[in-house]
Amino acid sequence: MSRQRIAIIGAGPSGMAALRAFDSAQRAGAEIPEIVTYEKQDDWGGQWNFDWRSGTDRYGESVHSSMYRNLWSNGPKEALEFAEYTFDEHFARPISSYPPRAALWDYIDGRVRKSGLKDEVQFSTAVRWVDYDRDQDNFTVTVENLRSGTTSSSEFDRIIVATGHFSFPNVPEFEGIETFPGSVQHAHDFRGAENLADKRVLLIGASYSAEDIGVQAYKMGARSVTISYRTGAMGYDWPDGMEELPLVDHFEGGTVRFSDGDTREFDAVILCTGYLHKYPFLPAELALRSPNNIYPADLYRGVVWQENPGVFYLGAQDQWFTFNMFDAQAWYVRDLILGRTPLPSAEQRAAHMRTWRDRFQELGGDADDVRFQADYVRDLIDATDYPMFDLDEVVRIFLAWKGEKYENILTYRDKSYRSVLTGTVASTHHTPWLRELDDSLERYLSTPAKSELEAILDGTDPSAERLATDTPG
């Protein structure tokens, strides 16, 4: 085992999960391989590592993160909590169910930083190419140190691809879009909604990016927000100033005509049109090619590349579950590499994939998808020593969250849930999300003094009672 060398490509939440999985085994007395982790960014965290840049980074590389400044979790934290490192353990106090990005980054950073693994990651290092030698059954990984500009190659027995799949934007073409005089950008390059104040904003797409950037734009004072859908409207009870229309037909300068004949004028367009699986460092025979869905083809148990089981993918699925699913995957991959879990034959793997793919093809909507992914996570955890948690309760939380968004898309982040791990009920954030304009960790964890107006409105200002008493009539 000590002679094996494993390359982890990427140190976002999936790569961090892999590091933590091997560290957990080592702390329990297991002998583990030599682990080498390459991360293109200057710090770990993947999408959660916010970078104000868009387009290219300081080294001229394409910016990996699609994170924007104002993002707060758009799903309850109780559905993504690590089973072996809780929010209670990290923050030592209850926090709200929908933390801002900075709090979630602090959480995932804290778990792995606590293990002392940061020194083992080669940051600012881009993987340029991976070669597979069939005769030797090993991989040559060529990397570039972006700070020094030097290139080097190393041999590995196995590789773990943990680069995620929300970095290469899908950018469709629309007739006449080149004539639009305002700003046009993909959600990948969106960094904040403040500059959308008093603008007429068009979002093309009907999934989470459009939903969240839309309400962020509304929150920051956009004059109007229009969401253009291709197959179906999201159907939320949008506030005045927000609407959904069918797909854009074409642009005529600042005027946009939709497929139902409606026209609107806009100042800014954001393409919320999704992302593509793209692995420019992998040869075609090793690279996953799949639509973004919850059970990609050619991955046994969602992680083992069928054509070459020395290649593993983490976090390649469309996701309801996130951090804890990455853990379940990482623990399973670790046990395959350590020899704790036998790898079935190619025929057995293919049969297993057909069973799950057949079930996947029969799914009938969000509720089915959530339950399917819960069963997938359960299947992985059952095969390892990762702590099992109440997946059925997490499903219930997901479905309740979906319902609350339909009740009020602007206030669902003010709801609280109970941790399935500790039983702790989330606190209520000191400021309703719609009024909270400071996304920093310091502000989030603070207990700010109420303004005089806030105290009067919620009845905690004693002067309000005196005022009522002293008022004639």
Side-chain angles (χ1 to χ4, degrees):
M1 181 60 62
S2 61
R3 290 192 296 273
Q4 278 204 79
R5 300 186 79 231
I6 310 300
I8 300 174
I9 304 175
S14 294
M16 295 164 84
L19 283 168
R20 181 69 188 97
F22 282 106
D23 178 68
S24 175
Q26 186 175 47
R27 288 173 183 270
E31 184 179 2
I32 67 170
E34 179 186 353
I35 308 294
V36 180
T37 304
Y38 300 114
E39 170 54 50
K40 185 174 77 170
Q41 299 184 102
D42 291 335
D43 202 352
W44 57 20
Q47 294 289 352
W48 298 94
N49 178 20
F50 172 72
D51 190 335
W52 64 269
R53 295 175 176 85
S54 61
T56 55
D57 64 15
R58 60 188 291 196
Y59 305 111
E61 299 292 308
S62 59
V63 169
H64 177 81
S65 180
S66 303
M67 183 60 61
Y68 44 93
R69 185 169 44 253
N70 317 111
L71 186 134
W72 291 59
S73 177
N74 64 348
K77 77 180 195 305
E78 290 75 16
L80 56 80
E81 192 168 16
F82 296 123
E84 47 95 71
Y85 187 74
T86 65
F87 283 99
D88 285 0
E89 180 179 354
H90 181 75
F91 288 102
R93 50 171 279 193
I95 64 169
S96 69
S97 283
Y98 295 88
R101 179 210 64 86
L104 286 173
W105 185 89
D106 193 71
Y107 174 59
I108 61 175
D109 169 69
R111 178 177 75 147
V112 194
R113 186 179 63 240
K114 184 178 178 180
S115 300
L117 297 171
K118 200 160 195 174
D119 292 341
E120 300 180 18
V121 180
Q122 296 187 27
F123 292 109
S124 309
T125 302
V127 175
R128 295 302 189 202
W129 194 246
V130 175
D131 264 323
Y132 175 63
D133 187 320
R134 190 173 299 276
D135 294 332
Q136 299 295 321
D137 189 27
N138 66 9
F139 303 86
T140 299
V141 179
T142 300
V143 304
E144 180 183 352
N145 182 311
L146 299 174
R147 292 173 179 168
S148 66
T150 57
T151 301
S152 60
S153 298
S154 299
E155 292 185 354
F156 295 92
D157 299 284
R158 302 289 180 263
I159 63 170
I160 298 174
V161 180
T163 54
H165 62 287
F166 296 112
S167 292
F168 290 88
N170 175 44
V171 182
E173 185 75 28
F174 292 95
E175 180 185 346
I177 195 169
E178 72 279 1
T179 70
F180 183 72
S183 63
V184 179
Q185 62 181 167
H186 191 276
H188 174 63
D189 298 316
F190 176 76
R191 290 296 178 265
E194 296 92 337
N195 68 348
L196 299 177
D198 201 36
K199 291 185 178 178
R200 298 162 297 183
V201 181
L202 170 62
L203 306 170
I204 302 178
S207 192
Y208 294 115
S209 292
E211 169 197 313
D212 198 59
I213 294 175
V215 295
Q216 293 283 359
Y218 176 87
K219 178 179 178 177
M220 295 296 177
R223 192 188 314 177
S224 67
V225 176
T226 299
I227 299 173
S228 170
Y229 58 87
R230 181 176 59 183
T231 55
M234 288 182 277
Y236 296 118
D237 185 14
W238 302 107
D240 291 343
M242 293 188 70
E243 63 175 347
E244 290 188 269
L245 292 175
L247 189 62
V248 168
D249 184 76
H250 65 275
F251 286 75
E252 300 169 359
T255 302
V256 176
R257 183 173 296 277
F258 296 86
S259 59
D260 65 351
D262 275 348
T263 61
R264 300 284 190 279
E265 293 193 357
F266 296 101
D267 305 299
V269 175
I270 302 173
L271 303 172
C272 302
T273 46
Y275 296 85
L276 302 171
H277 283 280
K278 189 170 179 61
Y279 306 94
F281 51 87
L282 292 177
E285 63 270 19
L286 301 181
L288 175 65
R289 296 170 298 278
S290 173
N292 183 29
N293 61 50
I294 60 175
Y295 202 81
D298 301 318
L299 287 178
Y300 169 67
R301 275 186 154 152
V303 292
V304 182
W305 182 239
Q306 172 69 346
E307 300 305 313
N308 186 328
V311 178
F312 305 95
Y313 282 84
L314 300 181
Q317 294 74 17
D318 197 6
Q319 295 149 13
W320 292 90
F321 290 78
T322 52
F323 297 164
N324 41 28
M325 181 175 71
F326 306 153
D327 271 9
Q329 293 177 326
W331 256 251
Y332 179 71
V333 167
R334 176 205 69 185
D335 284 358
L336 287 174
I337 291 172
L338 295 182
R340 293 178 173 181
T341 299
L343 181 70
S345 68
E347 294 76 16
Q348 291 170 319
R349 298 196 304 271
H352 186 279
M353 287 190 291
R354 280 195 300 271
T355 299
W356 281 82
R357 287 287 296 178
D358 287 347
R359 181 180 167 190
F360 165 68
Q361 299 292 344
E362 297 298 320
L363 298 178
D366 289 347
D368 284 353
D369 290 354
V370 173
R371 294 187 180 100
F372 177 91
Q373 196 154 79
D375 288 345
Y376 166 72
V377 172
R378 183 181 288 110
D379 181 60
L380 291 175
I381 294 177
D382 280 341
T384 71
D385 64 358
Y386 190 74
M388 182 58 77
F389 55 98
D390 191 344
L391 287 155
D392 293 330
E393 177 62 14
V394 175
V395 168
R396 190 198 68 77
I397 289 172
F398 272 127
L399 298 181
W401 159 69
K402 291 288 291 183
E404 285 167 354
K405 290 204 294 183
Y406 282 103
E407 289 177 9
N408 193 322
I409 191 63
L410 298 179
T411 63
Y412 75 88
R413 284 186 171 97
D414 300 325
K415 304 292 185 180
S416 297
Y417 290 93
R418 183 184 300 274
S419 168
V420 302
L421 297 166
T422 65
T424 299
V425 177
S427 64
T428 300
H429 185 51
H430 49 68
T431 306
W433 174 81
L434 195 59
R435 298 210 313 262
E436 181 60 275
L437 300 179
D438 185 340
D439 310 302
S440 68
L441 181 63
E442 294 75 19
R443 164 74 180 182
Y444 178 68
L445 296 178
S446 70
T447 307
K450 293 182 179 179
S451 69
E452 183 177 350
L453 176 59
E454 288 174 321
I456 291 173
L457 290 174
D458 67 15
T460 59
D461 184 359
S463 65
E465 183 177 348
R466 290 198 303 272
L467 181 63
T469 302
D470 295 342
T471 301

